[in-house]
Amino acid sequence: MGLTIDEMIVKARAAVDAIKDYDQAQVDKLVYEAAKTIYKHAAELAREAVDETGLGYYEDKICKNTDTPATFWDYLKDKKSVGIIKEDKATGTIEIAHPVGVIAAITPATNPNVTPLGNFMHAMKGKNATIICPAPRAKNSSTHTVELIREALVKCGAPADLLQIVEDPTIPHSAELMSKADLVLATGSFGLTKAAYGSGTPAYGVGPGNPPVILDRDYDIKDCAEKSVVAVGSDNGILCDGQNLFLYPEEKEKEVIDAFRDAGMIVYEDAADVAKFRDVLFLETGKPNPVLVGKDAPVIAKAAGFDIPESTKVIALKVETIGAADPLNEEILGPIVSITGYDTFENAVDMAIRNMEESGGIGHTAGIYSHNEDHIKYYAERIPVARVLINQPTPDAWGPKTNSLSPAVSEGCGSWGNNILAGNVDYIHMINVSKAVYPLDVELPDPEKLFAD
């Protein structure tokens, strides 16, 4: 029988206390070794993840398990997170980092390796202990991930209990863990986020994705098509920041569809064909068909009555309407993208916003392919999301150094998505930063002068 939640919390607090005197170099060594061990076991863990969950694409999961450790470590290695992290003589301010304590991380079946790793690396950077409560569907793969990191910690002379995993990940155990930890990282459904915020513990939740992407009239269609294959097909479309709705200029429809096909997509334009996909992707209740979530494109096509090449990564479906009128405009969690045309650019922006408001994904991520600065700013000012990806695949929202976003396995959606943070959850969100301040030799403002009129 596994440890109770209370016993795990006690062990985690003891582990935090055991490293209370660690300096920055000692902490960074633990972060590095955690990343290194997952990198070395990337293929093995990827195989386990796909076999256990039935979600995603093996080769893409290998890339996740190699790129995430490398990117996270490259980002974290030079950051100060222990003791005094900043001094500003001009303002007389000294900033000091303090651990949060025990962090509860609720992780999804879609990323059973890198989400536990990423959460731990950010938490460990601040001298915290982490307790993972995995998705039941991914329990074995997540447990192996945690075991590998625990072994790495012990080899460094650190307590293994800086990272633990709940052996019986039930909803009651998840709720108990969230209520007894010092901070919660909840990566998953809207219901999970709501539960995290209702736990009574400070929490960072993540809302659902459903990114709309606009192709502007001035952008190279071939380049956009190639990047769209990546944005839609990565890990069989189970990424929350994967491209789901693609909007293109009406008069360029043939060029766009030809470019998509040249890039390797299978495109269905006929309404009857599209209806067959709609029927198998969604149940009569309107909810996604769980049997097809995260499956390969040929598997989904066969379920709809079509045979397509086994090498196909992405299927594009032409829809006639956006928003709630068509379930294909919702987050599908598969290598599927809905496509439709627009007349004016302003119309495209309105369509993107309406789709998020009616079909989900508000607050998460959106994309645009354009060289028109006015259009880019117009879009960015209006679309209600925390991240707008310009001329790049929307999954780059996790911050793989191809942009200035910080590497993250949890992407906050702000108040739009019922989240406290509009941005990527980072190590800085897992430490308490206090400020020691000297008095300033300044003249206080004179209210009579300020408000004279």
Side-chain angles (χ1 to χ4, degrees), residues 34-50 58-71 110-117 141 145 235 398:
K36 182 178 176 181
T37 193
I38 300 307
Y39 169 79
K40 285 191 169 183
H41 292 84
E44 175 186 358
L45 290 171
R47 183 73 275 159
E48 291 174 356
V50 174
Y58 170 61
E59 286 78 6
D60 289 348
K61 285 203 183 292
I62 293 176
C63 292
K64 277 186 178 181
N65 291 347
T66 56
D67 294 353
T68 302
T71 301
T110 51
N111 288 305
N113 310 136
V114 296
T115 300
L117 171 68
S141 181
T145 301
D235 208 12
W398 78 279

Side-chain angles (χ1 to χ4, degrees), residues 111 119 186-187 204-209 211 239-242 363-365 386-387 389 394-400 405-414 417 419 421-426:
N111 288 305
N119 285 338
T187 308
Y204 291 107
V206 178
L239 307 180
C240 57
D241 46 24
H364 205 292
T365 301
R387 289 156 291 271
L389 279 292
T394 51
D396 283 1
W398 78 279
L405 297 173
S406 60
V409 289
S410 298
E411 297 164 9
C413 303
N419 299 162
L421 175 69
N424 290 358
V425 181
D426 198 346

